[in-house]
């Protein structure tokens, strides 16, 4: 494993996540975090975190699906959300590695619900919770990149929530 590749994938994923979280557009957030998830999956594979890598790969599909059903029928949204929640649980079962997996699965499930059902300020506040839950994975694998990224993502989500809140007031 190349330490430079770990750094590059981590920095690229971080940049995309922060860019999406600070914007007030939910569509933009879903799009950029989808790409960030792909890079995050590669980063997790490189550090040996298989559960986190599998969940990150799954989140790429989740972001695409959540974007596709926004504004669509409630049954389609519900079925899609439940399918991603079920697959998340299955990944957790098949890649079980103790508390690390538990926190990662919880973070992924919160992100799944948020991407399908939350908007604006609530969506960004949920992303703070997601960053906090994924922090355990970063700590468990001694990944300072991911610790830094989760801290910055939480701060970016808070800033994005503030911007979205101010945008609502201005409307």
């Amino acid at each position: 494993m190349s330490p430079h590749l770990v750094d590059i994938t981590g920095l690229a994923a971080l940049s995309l996540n922060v860019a999406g979280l600070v914007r007030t557009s939910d569509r933009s957030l879903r799009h950029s975090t989808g790409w960030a998830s792909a890079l995050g999956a590669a980063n997790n594979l490189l550090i040996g975190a298989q559960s986190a890598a599998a969940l990150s790969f799954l989140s790429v599909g989740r972001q695409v699906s959540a974007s596709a059903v926004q504004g669509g029928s409630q049954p389609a949204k519900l079925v899609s959300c439940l399918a991603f929640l079920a697959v998340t649980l299955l990944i957790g079962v098949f890649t079980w590695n103790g508390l690390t997996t538990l926190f990662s699965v919880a973070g992924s499930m919160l992100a799944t619900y948020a991407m399908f059902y939350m908007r604006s300020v609530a969506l960004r506040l949920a992303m703070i919770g997601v960053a906090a839950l994924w922090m355990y994975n970063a700590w468990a694998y001694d990944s300072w990149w991911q610790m830094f990224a989760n801290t910055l993502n939480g701060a970016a989500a808070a800033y994005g929530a503030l911007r979205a809140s101010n945008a609502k007031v201005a409307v």
Side-chain angles (χ1 to χ4, degrees):
M1 164 186 64
S2 166
H4 296 298
L5 194 53
V6 171
D7 292 345
I8 290 167
T9 57
L11 184 58
L14 172 62
S15 299
L16 288 168
N17 262 330
V18 168
L21 288 165
V22 298
R23 292 188 181 117
T24 58
S25 166
D26 292 347
R27 183 174 180 260
S28 177
L29 182 142
R30 286 183 185 91
H31 181 79
S32 63
T33 57
W35 284 106
S37 292
L39 290 165
N43 187 265
N44 279 305
L45 279 176
L46 290 169
I47 66 170
Q50 285 80 17
S51 291
L55 291 169
S56 294
F57 275 125
L58 178 64
S59 70
V60 174
R62 175 194 65 219
Q63 302 304 80
V64 170
S65 296
S67 291
V69 298
Q70 291 303 311
S73 73
Q74 286 301 318
K77 188 183 287 191
L78 177 63
V79 168
S80 295
C81 183
L82 289 175
F84 278 98
L85 290 171
V87 173
T88 299
L89 286 174
L90 284 174
I91 287 172
V93 167
F94 288 118
T95 63
W96 184 254
N97 192 25
L99 278 178
T100 306
T101 304
L102 182 66
F103 277 87
S104 298
V105 166
S108 188
M109 292 181 78
L110 176 56
T112 297
Y113 179 80
M115 288 296 163
F116 279 98
Y117 286 103
M118 294 180 171
R119 295 181 187 262
S120 192
V121 175
L123 175 57
R124 284 149 186 82
L125 292 176
M127 293 300 103
I128 295 169
V130 170
L133 287 164
W134 276 90
M135 183 63 85
Y136 189 86
N137 180 74
W139 175 77
Y141 285 95
D142 198 29
S143 174
W144 69 270
W145 256 121
Q146 288 186 12
M147 286 184 245
F148 176 71
N150 282 310
T151 301
L152 196 54
N153 285 334
Y159 177 71
L162 180 64
R163 289 191 66 214
S165 173
N166 289 338
K168 281 185 175 181
V169 171
V171 172

